[in-house]
Amino acid sequence: MDLRDFQQLIEKMYSRKDRERGAAGTFLWLMEEVGELAAAVGEGADEAKKRDEFADVLAWLATLANVEGVDLSDALQAKYGRGCPGCGKMVCECKGKP
Amino acid sequence: MDLRDFQQLIEKMYSRKDRERGAAGTFLWLMEEVGELAAAVGEGADEAKKRDEFADVLAWLATLANVEGVDLSDALQAKYGRGCPGCGKMVCECKGKP
């Protein structure tokens, strides 16, 4: 799936509510979904459940990006499109970070 | 950017370290980046800083998905590809949720 298409899908689906809620309220919802993802990973939930929770976190991250006016696709390209931001290599060779 | 391509780029870039660190350790890094995103949003950071933090959260979410064996693109398609998971509409009409 194209990330920009997905972000626009979320914009179309939820933008009216998102604008009313604002960034702080949207962040709260994102955190709720992050908690559900933590539970799914920690409990070793089945594949379908984990997929579901990853999708929700990504959807709320896209929502927050919409509220903040950030294009996620551009953001990824700028930071990771030319290699690891730390060492510049396509296969990271950074020392120190685990 | 295609989301599957990005997830594979992250896999190529970091998979050796990711496998060693495991899901719990990867989640910790994800949370550090979520905190940095919260700071950028809360402080009203400039566009470039916010873009940077959104990219990092998404990169660590992709890393965690790699560790857990989840394809983010498939996950989004399954949950949001046919409309809002709550009401089934392409423009959400769910009641109750803000």
Side-chain angles (χ1 to χ4, degrees):
Chain A
M1 183 182 278
D2 184 78
L3 185 57
R4 184 168 290 126
D5 289 347
F6 176 69
Q7 189 171 348
Q8 287 170 352
L9 175 72
I10 291 294
E11 170 75 14
K12 180 181 170 189
M13 215 174 267
Y14 299 114
S15 61
R16 187 181 55 78
K17 292 181 178 181
D18 296 342
R19 298 284 176 268
E20 292 170 10
R21 191 192 316 107
T26 299
F27 208 96
L28 263 184
W29 280 98
L30 172 61
M31 290 305 91
E32 181 173 320
E33 296 301 339
V34 164
E36 292 181 12
L37 176 62
V41 168
E43 294 164 2
D46 66 19
E47 188 71 16
K49 175 68 175 164
K50 285 194 287 191
R51 215 164 35 215
D52 203 69
E53 299 302 345
F54 273 104
D56 284 343
V57 170
L58 200 35
W60 280 99
L61 190 67
T63 296
L64 184 64
N66 284 334
V67 172
E68 289 289 308
V70 168
D71 182 293
L72 290 174
S73 189
D74 284 348
L76 290 183
Q77 189 62 48
K79 184 127 194 198
Y80 292 93
R82 290 182 305 274
C84 171
C87 65
K89 303 284 173 63
M90 293 311 292
V91 177
C92 171
E93 295 178 8
C94 290
K95 306 289 180 197
K97 272 202 163 183
Chain B
M1 182 181 280
D2 184 78
L3 185 58
R4 185 169 290 125
D5 288 348
F6 176 70
Q7 189 171 349
Q8 287 170 352
L9 175 72
I10 291 293
E11 170 75 15
K12 180 180 169 191
M13 216 175 266
Y14 299 113
S15 62
R16 187 182 53 78
K17 292 181 177 181
D18 296 341
R19 298 283 176 270
E20 291 169 9
R21 190 192 316 108
T26 299
F27 208 96
L28 263 184
W29 279 97
L30 172 60
M31 290 304 91
E32 180 173 319
E33 296 301 339
V34 165
E36 291 180 11
L37 176 62
V41 169
E43 295 163 2
D46 65 20
E47 188 71 17
K49 175 67 174 165
K50 285 194 288 191
R51 216 165 33 217
D52 202 70
E53 299 303 344
F54 273 104
D56 283 343
V57 170
L58 199 35
W60 279 98
L61 190 67
T63 296
L64 184 64
N66 284 334
V67 171
E68 290 290 307
V70 168
D71 182 293
L72 290 174
S73 190
D74 284 349
L76 290 182
Q77 189 62 47
K79 184 128 194 198
Y80 292 93
R82 288 182 305 277
C84 170
C87 66
K89 304 284 173 64
M90 292 312 291
V91 178
C92 172
E93 296 176 6
C94 290
K95 306 290 182 195
K97 271 202 164 185

